[in-house]
Amino acid sequence: SAMSTPLSKSSGRHIFDIFNQSICHDDSKQLLSFAETISFDERDLSILEQCEYLLLGLSTLSLMIYSECDSDRLSTFTYTYLTKLVNTRYRHLGRRIIPIVIATLQNVKVCKDLMQLLEFTCVVLSGDPSCGHAVFTLLAPMSSQDSPRKVRCMAVRLYPLLCKSNKRLYPRICVSLAEFATHPTAQLRIAAAATICELAKFDLIRD
């Protein structure tokens, strides 16, 4: 069976077989082992190979968000795998992941763990300059007056992760924080104060 076939990092023939049989079952050792052991630093991937590896990541990300199978193993695999792929020399691939995140936020009800998805987006995807702009634009509606108070607080608390990943966003973050720091709502002022403290902790505050 596919589950008894050793998984080779150099061959993608068995990846989907193992994934399909692992997603909703207890035996996911090979699936997680693949995510933990694969390395994208060993050699330069061709454009075709980049697309192949990205397709696997996008497929699992979509399944993680929309599948009825409630699997922590799938989340672990997806975030570990995509982080390794994007955080090496292929940050530009984050541009292909952003549309799925945007589609998810447009229908928040389908997302099982919104905060985990947003943290991944801020930490991993915003490193690329164009992705950083897209991620900040993505958070803007969440911090607007039309959003619920809890969502606005959550968006503000993501700013340190976003700034740590892409320091070029610091001026825009400061403008947004200034609004919340003097907001009449106590919860939003507290969220802004906690964010400023965390920016200082990461040594990200600049004149």
Side-chain angles (χ1 to χ4, degrees), residues 147-196:
S147 295
R149 185 182 305 166
K150 185 178 294 186
V151 174
R152 298 181 75 186
C153 289
M154 180 176 65
V156 172
R157 294 298 292 119
L158 288 168
Y159 284 163
L161 296 178
L162 188 58
C163 188
K164 189 175 182 180
S165 182
N166 191 329
K167 294 181 176 62
R168 295 180 180 180
L169 295 173
Y170 178 73
R172 299 180 67 181
I173 289 174
C174 286
V175 172
S176 181
L177 274 178
E179 175 188 349
F180 289 101
T182 57
H183 200 278
T185 304
Q187 290 94 325
L188 293 174
R189 293 199 306 272
I190 292 172
T195 297
I196 293 171

Side-chain angles (χ1 to χ4, degrees), residues 4 8 41 53 55 71 82 105 112 117 121 126 130 159 177 186 203:
S4 61
S8 170
D41 288 321
Y53 282 113
L55 179 60
S71 174
L82 285 175
L105 293 180
K112 300 183 181 72
L117 177 63
T121 303
S126 63
S130 60
Y159 284 163
L177 274 178
D203 193 25

Side-chain angles (χ1 to χ4, degrees), residues 44-55:
D44 291 330
L45 298 179
S46 67
I47 297 297
L48 179 60
E49 288 175 318
Q50 291 178 40
C51 291
E52 290 174 347
Y53 282 113
L54 179 62
L55 179 60

Side-chain angles (χ1 to χ4, degrees), residues 1-71:
S1 68
M3 290 304 299
S4 61
T5 304
L7 181 62
S8 170
K9 291 190 292 182
S10 61
S11 173
R13 290 185 302 169
H14 304 298
I15 293 175
F16 279 100
D17 289 336
I18 292 176
F19 169 72
N20 287 331
Q21 295 187 28
S22 298
I23 178 173
C24 292
H25 297 83
D26 292 333
D27 187 4
S28 59
K29 184 180 297 184
Q30 286 185 313
L31 180 67
L32 297 181
S33 176
F34 173 73
E36 292 170 355
T37 59
I38 190 170
S39 173
F40 298 103
D41 288 321
E42 297 175 354
R43 61 183 178 84
D44 291 330
L45 298 179
S46 67
I47 297 297
L48 179 60
E49 288 175 318
Q50 291 178 40
C51 291
E52 290 174 347
Y53 282 113
L54 179 62
L55 179 60
L56 173 61
L58 292 178
S59 299
T60 58
L61 179 61
S62 297
L63 284 169
M64 181 193 77
I65 294 170
Y66 296 103
S67 174
E68 295 180 358
C69 176
D70 187 12
S71 174

Side-chain angles (χ1 to χ4, degrees), residues 194-205:
T195 297
I196 293 171
C197 288
E198 198 164 347
L199 287 170
K201 177 182 178 181
F202 292 152
D203 193 25
L204 295 173
I205 295 180

